Amino acid sequence: QQQVKQSPQSLIVQKGGISIINCAYENTAFDYFPWYQQFPGKGPALLIAIRPDVSEKKEGRFTISFNKSAKQFSLHIMDSQPGDSATYFCAASISTGFQKLVFGTGTRLLVSP
Amino acid sequence: NAGVMQNPRHLVRRRGQEARLRCSPMKGHSHVYWYRQLPEEGLKFMVYLQKENIIDESGMPKERFSAEFPKEGPSILRIQQVVRGDSAAYFCASSPIGQMNTEAFFGQGTRLTVV
């Protein structure tokens, strides 16, 4: 019940295309859903986050879509660029607590020029 | 303002040795979290510490692993008698307070290899 399932494991998108990464969770107590971006040899960096009181959040080219009834959320990267090539992790936690994040297994994104 | 500093970046230990991983949080941050990332897996929570206190260690293996965050100095994750299965990237994150609405910033990690 503490798992967050992430797919696909890897993704290749052409420059200018849309990258879509999906996550699903089971614990209905989760109410904070961040996405992290990790470049090789670096630590994860917070990209964008959403709470379940909204169905969508957009920051620049990055959009989170959230479906509370289906217990799913996804990251959309519009106009994908080679510089977006990285590993993306979804995560979930209970916001009344501290930063005890449950991470998905990651999606390795490659944006081809 | 330097970010979260972890050292060493890479650590090689033989089976049975001890590994000490250090984490200096960002200036002004008094909350530290340790996560472990096994190859091809996501990060898994290990322990949450405030200065001189362990708040939640529910993700720590029961044996051989310990963590501290003293009043002065960095947080230390200590692994005694390492085994091959301990090979992983260990990430530290810090935040100014321990609440969910405050972003935790991650360090670059220590990659432990047990040979």
Side-chain angles (χ1 to χ4, degrees):
Chain A
Q1 197 178 20
Q2 286 295 316
Q3 281 187 322
V4 175
K5 295 182 179 180
Q6 183 172 348
S7 64
Q9 189 173 2
S10 61
L11 182 61
I12 300 175
V13 173
Q14 285 198 328
K15 180 182 176 182
I18 303 174
S19 304
I20 302 175
I21 305 171
N22 301 299
C23 284
Y25 64 98
E26 294 189 0
N27 187 348
T28 54
F30 287 148
D31 62 356
Y32 176 72
F33 303 92
W35 285 89
Y36 284 82
Q37 180 187 57
Q38 184 179 28
F39 292 105
K42 303 293 186 182
L46 179 64
L47 193 61
I48 186 172
I50 197 169
R51 298 188 186 276
D53 51 346
V54 296
S55 60
E56 186 175 281
K57 183 174 181 179
K58 184 176 181 179
E59 290 185 2
R61 297 184 294 108
F62 300 91
T63 299
I64 299 179
S65 297
F66 185 81
N67 186 330
K68 188 174 181 178
S69 60
K71 291 184 286 187
Q72 295 175 348
F73 58 110
S74 60
L75 176 70
H76 292 65
I77 306 174
M78 312 300 287
D79 187 26
S80 299
Q81 299 297 313
D84 297 330
S85 298
T87 299
Y88 292 80
F89 293 96
C90 62
S93 71
I94 302 169
S95 64
T96 53
F98 58 92
Q99 295 261 359
K100 187 175 180 180
L101 295 159
V102 178
F103 281 85
T105 51
T107 296
R108 192 170 296 180
L109 171 66
L110 176 63
V111 180
S112 59
Chain B
N1 186 12
V4 177
M5 303 301 292
Q6 289 188 249
N7 67 82
R9 292 290 309 279
H10 300 274
L11 182 61
V12 179
R13 284 288 177 265
R14 295 188 183 278
R15 281 178 295 172
Q17 290 184 320
E18 178 180 286
R20 281 182 177 244
L21 287 63
R22 295 175 185 77
C23 170
S24 296
M26 288 180 68
K27 187 176 180 180
H29 288 191
S30 58
H31 298 255
V32 166
Y33 319 83
W34 286 92
Y35 287 81
R36 177 167 64 173
Q37 184 176 30
L38 294 170
E40 306 301 321
E41 292 188 16
L43 286 78
K44 295 201 185 314
F45 170 81
M46 298 182 75
V47 62
Y48 163 45
L49 310 102
Q50 297 177 22
K51 285 282 187 180
E52 299 184 277
N53 287 303
I54 297 174
I55 307 302
D56 185 317
E57 57 181 347
S58 58
M60 288 278 272
K62 299 300 180 190
E63 297 178 351
R64 304 187 296 108
F65 285 71
S66 62
E68 63 177 7
F69 189 17
K71 187 176 180 180
E72 301 291 337
S75 175
I76 306 288
L77 179 67
R78 182 182 177 202
I79 311 172
Q80 295 179 290
Q81 299 176 328
V82 296
V83 301
R84 288 233 171 97
D86 297 333
S87 295
Y90 292 83
F91 289 95
C92 166
S94 75
S95 68
I97 56 178
Q99 293 179 10
M100 205 60 242
N101 58 1
T102 303
E103 179 182 353
F105 294 86
F106 282 84
Q108 297 193 60
T110 293
R111 280 146 185 84
L112 172 65
T113 302
V114 179
V115 297

